[in-house]
Amino acid sequence: MFKKSIFLSAVILFMAVGCKTDHKESAPKVNSKKPNIVLIIADDQGWGDLSSNGNTNLSTPHIDAIAKNGVSFKNFYVQPVCSPTRAELLTGRYFPRLGVFDTSAGGERMNLAETTLAEILKGDGYATAAYGKWHNGMQPPYHPNSRGFDDYYGFTSGHWGNYFSPMLERNGEITKGEGFLVDDLTNKGLEFITKHQTKSFFLYLPYNTPHSPMQVPDSYWGRFENKDLALTYHGEETEDLNFTKAALAMVENIDYNVGRITQKLQELDLEKNTIIIYMTDNGPNGFRWNGGMRGKKGWVDEGGVRSPFFIQWKDSLPAGKEINEIAGAIDILPTLAKMTGVDPQTERPLDGKDLTPLIWSNGKDWQPRFIYNHWGGKTSVRSQKYRLDNENQLYDMENDPGQTTDISKRDQKVADTLIKAKSEWLAEVHPKLPREEDNRPFTLGSPDHQFTQIPARDGIPHGNIERSNRYPNNTFFTNWKSERDSITWNVEVLSDGEFDVTLYYTCKAENTGSTIELSFGDSKIATKIVEAHNPPLTGMENDRTPRMESYVKDFKPISLGTIALKKGRGNLTLKALEIPGDQAIDVRLLMFSK
């Protein structure tokens, strides 16, 4: 009922717009080897952070070349923040349907009944890998290795505290990065492409920049540190120019790495059989030049949700074609399924549409539609011509892309149509608010996986214990002063078993001697901290502008022993049986291995 009424309403709005594409192309001939896919998504890069979109403050020739050699969607929409967009592109469904309602502490997890693009492609024989910021669940079966990716390297939570050789993971096991993180992730991607060049592969590269902390190698920062920016933010809000310069420097580093990927494909003679996508996950993470659009990351207005979307498939997609019809992250799965000839069997119906009629033909039968954006209890609706904002103000986006003039009174019929569409969509997807309690426990001991990380991020401190930063991702617990203090995690053990447990800690020399106990139900293990490890906080030495997130330090692993866990749900509890000094330890992570 909802979809039918929205379709009829959308027809009214679409008639005035018409079809903008007047030429026709043909779909490619079937190749005996299905096309590879490289999907690159930047983190917190705005639509305007590209030279191809008119920004003269920076140069992005390699990203721009994907548009030049392929197809660019001029009105492509993602969600206002990271994890919702990533969930949508992987599933083809709007994020409130998926259990995603936050960007931290478990609220970023996709429900387990969802089917991902990686699972679909893997089932059709593709080799699959993801290298970078996952941000859709840490513990298996939410982990990328459980969602269709054969190989994973990066970090699974949201923002990270250090981009130079940081603590990372490889398929669940803790490891150390090698150099600047985006360069490192690209290196892993190049190795994957080389290894799998003779079979079809899906490489997902969710980069972590230009998300803060604003760290970038000197060679890139040097181009911007003393540079006068020709284009600056147009609105009343204050632009932090130093932050902007750091973000643009990070984007130029991304561009360099995109060039490395495309060059490798050319060297291996894979370019003609590889689909390359470049996009971002939300609007810019600061007020800076963004084509005059209203809003930034976190906003449901145009500037917070419009993303570049470039797709190249050399000699199979028309080079340089621009498409004006609205589209979104939800369309990626059905479009790639069509291009690869893979049957997109999913447990639940898709919200997205196959975009190939717009790409390969004149789109004369393309049906009108709405795209919905939502975050923090705010919702906007985009039709081909209009945007209805969260306050039900209406804007003509073709003539007023900056959303400066509300025309809802003048075009009441259009406004009423979009208000009705918004109301019906909210009733159908029923988004949770971030403040609502998420009753899903953190999973531990998935039968199909050796490792489970239980980080401080997901824990609850009791007593004196404090989190190192109010933003939970990448934090640690500190200020552990009393035997009455404790840390708990709401977990569900998925299978009986014995688990070796490693604790990642720091401790001053004068505070050694604490006995730390871990318990779950009737099972308990304990060890005494006899070795001091008190490294300094780091990160600030590489920051180009002050950060919001926690600083980090080097945590030392120590074995807590082997604990027998029974299947079931309960509190995993870490406490101190004795604290001979002023404090016990700082805690970053528990690692379970079976």
Side-chain angles (χ1 to χ4, degrees):
M1 182 68 70
F2 164 67
K3 291 184 177 179
K4 183 177 180 181
S5 66
I6 295 306
F7 169 76
L8 293 175
S9 300
V11 171
I12 298 173
L13 298 180
F14 189 76
M15 289 176 64
V17 179
C19 183
K20 300 175 177 56
T21 308
D22 58 5
H23 56 285
K24 184 175 181 179
E25 295 85 15
S26 300
K29 296 179 180 180
V30 176
N31 192 300
S32 59
K33 176 177 175 289
K34 291 189 175 182
N36 311 307
I37 300 169
V38 177
L39 200 169
I40 304 168
I41 182 168
D43 192 7
D44 285 4
Q45 177 190 342
W47 175 91
D49 294 337
L50 293 173
S51 50
S52 58
N53 282 338
N55 195 336
T56 58
N57 291 329
L58 80 169
S59 177
T60 53
H62 301 295
I63 298 171
D64 299 346
I66 298 175
K68 181 180 179 181
N69 296 324
V71 175
S72 57
F73 281 77
K74 307 309 288 183
N75 296 290
F76 189 88
Y77 298 99
V78 295
Q79 293 300 340
V81 291
C82 317
S83 49
T85 294
R86 292 156 195 260
E88 289 188 353
L89 73 88
L90 287 167
T91 64
R93 287 164 48 81
Y94 279 116
F95 78 91
R97 302 187 193 275
L98 311 178
V100 176
F101 67 94
D102 206 338
T103 58
S104 186
E108 77 286 356
R109 291 175 291 178
M110 293 185 294
N111 287 332
L112 298 177
E114 301 299 332
T115 307
T116 71
L117 175 61
E119 289 174 303
I120 293 169
L121 293 172
K122 182 176 179 178
D124 205 65
Y126 275 71
T128 59
Y131 303 131
K133 171 181 167 178
W134 171 246
H135 210 186
N136 284 133
M138 175 179 286
Q139 297 85 9
Y142 297 98
H143 189 276
N145 288 143
S146 302
R147 309 310 292 257
F149 289 102
D150 300 319
D151 194 29
Y152 175 71
Y153 176 82
F155 59 97
T156 49
S157 65
H159 60 259
W160 213 231
N162 178 27
Y163 294 165
F164 291 89
S165 301
M167 173 194 285
L168 299 172
E169 66 153 282
R170 186 76 182 251
N171 300 324
E173 188 171 12
I174 297 297
T175 188
K176 186 176 179 61
E178 300 174 348
F180 187 63
L181 187 48
V182 178
D183 299 344
D184 189 14
L185 299 174
T186 304
N187 289 340
K188 298 299 185 293
L190 297 175
E191 292 168 5
F192 176 81
I193 290 171
T194 302
K195 180 178 179 180
H196 297 285
Q197 60 183 291
T198 60
K199 68 176 296 186
S200 298
F201 61 77
F202 171 38
L203 172 60
Y204 178 40
L205 284 173
Y207 287 145
N208 59 291
T209 57
H211 195 297
S212 57
M214 308 308 286
Q215 298 184 341
V216 65
D218 291 341
S219 59
Y220 295 92
W221 176 241
R223 304 175 192 173
F224 288 90
E225 184 176 12
N226 299 310
K227 183 176 184 177
D228 291 329
L229 300 182
L231 299 175
T232 54
Y233 180 62
H234 68 283
E236 296 179 353
E237 296 87 355
T238 301
E239 177 175 5
D240 182 338
L241 290 176
N242 208 56
F243 189 100
T244 296
K245 291 177 182 180
L248 298 181
M250 296 161 98
V251 173
E252 286 203 351
N253 170 261
I254 291 174
D255 185 76
Y256 159 71
N257 282 290
V258 168
R260 296 172 65 206
I261 293 291
T262 54
Q263 182 179 0
K264 176 59 69 174
L265 293 171
Q266 292 166 5
E267 289 174 356
L268 297 177
D269 197 25
L270 296 174
E271 186 180 34
K272 291 185 178 181
N273 201 41
T274 300
I275 300 166
I276 307 171
I277 290 176
Y278 187 84
M279 61 181 294
T280 68
D281 64 353
N282 45 246
N285 54 346
F287 291 111
R288 55 183 180 263
W289 187 87
N290 197 26
M293 292 182 287
R294 187 171 85 182
K296 64 179 181 68
K297 175 182 179 177
W299 295 38
V300 295
D301 293 303
E302 192 84 354
V305 297
R306 187 178 175 193
S307 165
F309 186 80
F310 307 149
I311 179 168
Q312 172 190 316
W313 184 4
K314 201 70 175 294
D315 294 345
S316 293
L317 301 187
K321 181 175 181 178
E322 296 182 350
I323 295 174
N324 288 320
E325 280 75 8
I326 61 172
I330 55 173
D331 302 326
I332 292 173
L333 186 152
T335 302
L336 289 177
K338 181 67 173 181
M339 286 183 171
T340 58
V342 176
D343 186 10
Q345 291 292 329
T346 60
E347 290 194 30
R348 296 179 177 178
L350 300 180
D351 293 308
K353 298 181 66 173
D354 167 23
L355 300 175
T356 58
L358 296 173
I359 295 172
W360 277 327
S361 65
N362 58 19
K364 64 178 181 178
D365 297 322
W366 189 252
Q367 299 299 322
R369 68 189 301 202
F370 298 144
I371 298 288
Y372 300 89
N373 295 111
H374 176 84
W375 190 245
K378 297 181 178 180
T379 307
S380 69
V381 187
R382 183 68 152 86
S383 71
Q384 186 62 47
K385 183 174 175 60
Y386 301 99
R387 181 174 291 280
L388 184 83
D389 74 3
N390 182 64
E391 305 299 326
N392 290 339
Q393 297 177 108
L394 182 69
Y395 301 94
D396 180 345
M397 300 307 296
E398 292 181 348
N399 298 303
D400 181 22
Q403 295 175 250
T404 62
T405 305
D406 174 20
I407 60 170
S408 58
K409 298 293 190 295
R410 189 191 76 190
D411 294 327
Q412 188 66 55
K413 187 175 181 180
V414 173
D416 289 345
T417 297
L418 287 169
I419 290 169
K420 184 174 184 288
K422 181 201 289 189
S423 177
E424 292 182 346
W425 183 80
L426 288 170
E428 180 177 315
V429 304
H430 190 59
K432 291 182 178 181
L433 296 176
R435 64 176 177 270
E436 291 181 343
E437 182 181 359
D438 182 10
N439 290 319
R440 293 173 298 178
F442 294 100
T443 50
L444 197 166
S446 174
D448 301 323
H449 297 270
Q450 180 181 356
F451 301 102
T452 304
Q453 295 183 53
I454 303 293
R457 185 198 80 149
D458 298 334
I460 301 173
H462 304 277
N464 298 292
I465 299 176
E466 299 173 349
R467 192 177 291 282
S468 61
N469 188 275
R470 68 189 183 96
Y471 300 108
N473 294 333
N474 201 53
T475 56
F476 57 90
F477 286 126
T478 188
N479 203 48
W480 191 341
K481 294 182 176 181
S482 168
E483 288 87 351
R484 294 184 298 274
D485 299 343
S486 65
I487 306 165
T488 60
W489 290 266
N490 175 23
V491 304
E492 181 178 2
V493 178
L494 300 181
S495 60
D496 294 352
E498 292 191 345
F499 298 84
D500 296 327
V501 185
T502 301
L503 168 69
Y504 285 76
Y505 80 97
T506 65
C507 180
K508 294 180 179 179
E510 60 269 28
N511 289 331
T512 56
S514 295
T515 299
I516 306 299
E517 179 189 82
L518 178 69
S519 63
F520 181 81
D522 295 330
S523 297
K524 299 178 181 180
I525 54 174
T527 194
K528 179 173 285 191
I529 305 297
V530 296
E531 186 174 348
H533 180 65
N534 186 32
L537 289 174
T538 62
M540 63 288 290
E541 71 279 7
N542 290 318
D543 290 356
R544 305 301 180 176
T545 189
R547 67 172 65 189
M548 300 182 298
E549 303 88 355
S550 177
Y551 292 114
V552 296
K553 54 183 175 178
D554 175 39
F555 285 83
K556 182 179 181 62
I558 184 176
S559 174
L560 281 179
T562 301
I563 190 169
L565 300 179
K566 292 290 186 181
K567 182 178 179 180
R569 183 170 175 174
N571 277 333
L572 186 71
T573 303
L574 197 67
K575 67 179 184 179
L577 301 180
E578 59 176 336
I579 303 177
D582 293 334
Q583 296 190 34
I585 59 175
D586 288 354
V587 175
R588 174 67 178 82
L589 173 70
L590 289 168
M591 174 65 82
F592 289 75
S593 175
K594 63 179 181 180

